[in-house]
Amino acid sequence: MSALVPSAVREIADGYAFTGPALDLGAVLLDGTAYADAPVRLPLAVLNRHGLVAGATGTGKTKTLQLIAEQLSAQGVPVFLADIKGDVSGVAAPGEPGERTAARAAEVGQDWRPQGCPAEFYALGGLGSGIPLRATVTSFGPLLLSKVLDLNETQESSLGLVFHYADRNGLELYDLKDLTAVITFLTSPEGKEELKGIGGISAATAGVILRSLTLLENEGAGAFFGEPEFDTAELLRTADGGAGVVSVLELPAVQDRPRLFSTFLMWLLADLYQELPEVGDLDRPKLVFFFDEAHLLFKGASKAFLEAITQTVRLIRSKGVGIFFVTQTPKDVPADVLAQLGNRVQHALRAFTPDDAKALKATVSTFPKSPAYDLAEVLTSLGTGEAVVTVLSEKGAPTPVAATRLRAPQSLMGPIGPAVLQAAVDGSALAGKYRDAIDRESAYEKLAARAARPEAEPVPAPVPAGGAEPASERARERSPERAQEGGGLLGSLMSNPALKSFARSAGTQLGREISRSLFGTSRRRR
């Protein structure tokens, strides 16, 4: 390092001198000068300790995601990105050289070369460009669906009872018409009789849920509840050359349904958590998941939903998955979740109003004390493409706070053309697997057939087709007793006498959720 580098910069740089593989974020910035000899880096081994990328609109958060994603891909780590505005697709194409890019590279000591990443493009249910992502209603579960439908706790509990009944009676909930059929049946005289032993659903509550489902379907959301259900293992793939595949979920077509896409992203995480084996701490993560517009996930969430998010974030790191929440200020993220985000990249904040000033003060309080910077001043004076950084070292300790001039992404900083995007989707090996929706016999057809019989008979349990497991067996597997026998997280939870008693009580909501999973999602049979 040059003798001209100030001692404060040297001390900061020493905190980022890691021995193992790491991502290069940029160079230490002090008093407006970037010091190329003082790189700011992020160890691959700590990416499963999660992170936060925050900052006001227009400060460069999206380019930071792109910078991190392309380096992860180059190191063989798959990445998932949610493209809210439609400007991240450029990660698949080489960047365009220019004077500004060359100047930035020289300032931070970057050997900039245009390079794209292997990428797959997805869309929710095919709404927009991309391979359709679908989930069955039963897999989505009552807790996540309650969040989408904006239900209160009473309505959420009633929806949980509907799922419980469907599980127990072999009524597969693949799409929204299946769920509507079961709710309608359970509010009929015959259905009320069958629910006598475990409770019931009031006509008013059923009406609210049915209206919400109708509104959801009218908005086009019914397209991504159904089959074939997306297998989240697809997100863990690498390309032939060993580079991690960057999975880009194209969301511009559903921008006006923020609760829907934020909850769907949570389903992806919940499914990954449920399906992946425990691996502990690795030298690099198996997947890094970027959760854009994270505040939408937490806004208006029930206590049970927030507890489930917190638990998932806490435990998924041992599955080798890192999560980065992307939002405007740290206060958008609940304290219990924020406490688990060990890596921070904070872009500029503005303090134009008293609320802005309060948010700035709160943000400063989340960083380690810094002898080199007045953080309140620095955070309001950062330029585009600059950020305050602190990450976990290889030993798990926070690094010194570093104002950083970030590197320029080597992939295209903007969207690829519609024709190029469509060609990438059409040429994907996954297109044939997921593109066309299918509609198998499920709750809707079974209840319709039952109603057509002269004398209604109990709905028979489904016969396994192609190795599929009967719904009655799935319900038995999800029971508290079976969860305890299975060991692991659910076994340890259910070994608690209080929780065990609670789960066995008359269909309480927590009991039902724990017996399915943390989010009430069902386990996929591989």
Side-chain angles (χ1 to χ4, degrees):
M1 189 177 293
S2 169
L4 299 177
V5 174
S7 59
V9 174
R10 289 172 178 270
E11 290 176 11
I12 294 170
D14 288 345
Y16 293 87
F18 309 123
T19 57
L23 308 180
D24 293 306
L25 298 181
V28 174
L29 183 67
L30 183 68
D31 296 330
T33 300
Y35 292 87
D37 291 342
V40 176
R41 307 172 74 222
L42 173 56
L44 281 179
V46 302
L47 279 166
N48 69 331
R49 304 301 179 92
H50 310 317
L52 176 73
V53 178
T57 301
T59 55
K61 297 192 297 296
T62 301
K63 298 301 174 280
T64 297
L65 304 190
Q66 196 168 335
L67 172 68
I68 296 175
E70 65 186 22
Q71 290 191 62
L72 285 168
S73 175
Q75 300 252 20
V77 179
V79 176
F80 176 88
L81 289 171
D83 188 6
I84 305 292
K85 305 182 188 75
D87 55 1
V88 182
S89 59
V91 73
E96 297 175 347
E99 291 183 8
R100 293 178 62 183
T101 300
R104 173 60 63 101
E107 290 169 352
V108 300
Q110 178 183 9
D111 181 16
W112 190 90
R113 299 175 185 177
Q115 185 173 355
C117 304
E120 291 280 8
F121 297 96
Y122 299 98
L124 291 187
L127 298 175
S129 300
I131 296 162
L133 291 189
R134 299 182 186 90
T136 62
V137 169
T138 195
S139 172
F140 212 72
L143 193 56
L144 288 173
L145 190 56
S146 294
K147 168 70 173 172
V148 173
L149 298 175
D150 198 21
L151 303 182
N152 62 31
E153 290 186 7
T154 299
Q155 294 154 0
E156 181 182 299
S157 179
S158 295
L159 186 61
L161 183 60
V162 173
F163 275 75
H164 174 76
Y165 177 84
D167 280 348
R168 292 288 299 273
N169 289 275
L171 295 171
E172 300 89 346
L173 303 177
Y174 292 147
D175 51 31
L176 293 184
K177 75 176 186 298
D178 290 326
L179 182 57
T180 299
V182 174
I183 295 171
T184 302
F185 170 73
L186 291 178
T187 53
S188 70
E190 183 184 351
K192 288 178 180 177
E193 186 67 24
E194 292 198 18
L195 282 182
K196 244 182 179 180
I198 56 174
I201 304 173
S202 73
T205 296
V208 170
I209 298 173
L210 289 172
R211 284 193 296 274
S212 298
L213 288 172
T214 300
L215 180 61
L216 189 66
E217 192 150 25
N218 288 342
E219 290 177 343
F224 57 80
F225 285 108
E227 294 186 300
E229 182 172 80
F230 181 69
D231 185 348
T232 50
E234 310 282 12
L235 303 179
L236 304 175
R237 295 182 302 129
T238 55
D240 290 341
V245 172
V246 179
S247 298
V248 182
L249 178 57
E250 293 289 309
L251 291 168
V254 292
Q255 278 191 36
D256 57 341
R257 281 157 271 176
R259 186 183 293 109
L260 188 60
F261 68 69
S262 65
T263 311
F264 192 89
L265 295 185
M266 200 65 237
W267 173 81
L268 290 176
L269 277 181
D271 192 78
L272 283 166
Y273 167 74
Q274 191 163 281
E275 299 297 329
L276 290 175
E278 295 279 341
V279 293
D281 290 325
L282 304 172
D283 62 349
R284 64 191 64 211
K286 297 174 72 172
L287 172 71
V288 177
F289 193 103
F290 289 93
F291 209 126
D292 203 1
E293 301 290 343
H295 66 283
L296 299 171
L297 179 68
F298 304 111
K299 184 178 180 182
S302 68
K303 183 180 178 182
F305 189 81
L306 290 175
E307 287 174 351
I309 293 174
T310 304
Q311 192 81 316
T312 301
V313 172
R314 180 181 295 123
L315 298 172
I316 203 170
R317 78 175 187 85
S318 64
K319 307 291 184 94
V321 177
I323 306 169
F324 273 72
F325 290 98
V326 185
T327 190
Q328 295 206 1
T329 73
K331 73 179 182 65
D332 293 334
V333 180
D336 287 345
V337 175
L338 191 63
Q340 299 175 58
L341 310 183
N343 305 297
R344 309 284 180 91
V345 180
Q346 176 67 59
H347 287 264
L349 289 174
R350 309 304 178 209
F352 299 135
T353 69
D355 285 344
D356 291 342
K358 188 182 295 185
L360 175 62
K361 185 177 180 180
T363 299
V364 170
S365 70
T366 66
F367 281 87
K369 291 187 181 295
S370 171
Y373 303 105
D374 178 340
L375 281 181
E377 181 180 338
V378 170
L379 285 172
T380 54
S381 60
L382 290 170
T384 301
E386 298 175 348
V388 169
V389 174
T390 181
V391 301
L392 294 179
S393 71
E394 293 163 312
K395 296 180 179 179
T399 58
V401 173
T404 306
R405 184 160 291 159
L406 298 166
R407 289 183 166 216
Q410 296 184 137
S411 53
L412 182 65
M413 289 190 279
I416 57 177
V420 177
L421 176 57
Q422 192 59 52
V425 174
D426 293 340
S428 171
L430 300 180
K433 186 175 180 180
Y434 293 109
R435 175 168 283 167
D436 296 327
I438 58 177
D439 187 9
R440 291 194 289 163
E441 182 185 54
S442 50
Y444 175 81
E445 289 79 11
K446 289 181 178 181
L447 289 172
R450 177 176 178 172
R453 288 195 289 269
E455 293 184 7
E457 302 170 7
V459 179
V463 177
E469 182 187 21
S472 58
E473 283 299 303
R474 287 199 303 274
R476 191 168 71 87
E477 182 176 301
R478 296 174 193 140
S479 70
E481 291 80 7
R482 178 59 63 90
Q484 185 178 359
E485 292 168 12
L489 168 67
L490 296 184
S492 63
L493 283 173
M494 296 312 304
S495 66
N496 182 305
L499 279 177
K500 192 172 178 182
S501 172
F502 196 34
R504 284 175 170 167
S505 65
T508 60
Q509 180 65 10
L510 179 58
R512 284 194 299 276
E513 295 309 331
I514 288 179
S515 67
R516 287 173 69 89
S517 76
L518 287 174
F519 272 99
T521 54
S522 64
R523 183 176 295 277
R524 178 186 288 110
R525 299 286 290 186
R526 296 206 186 280

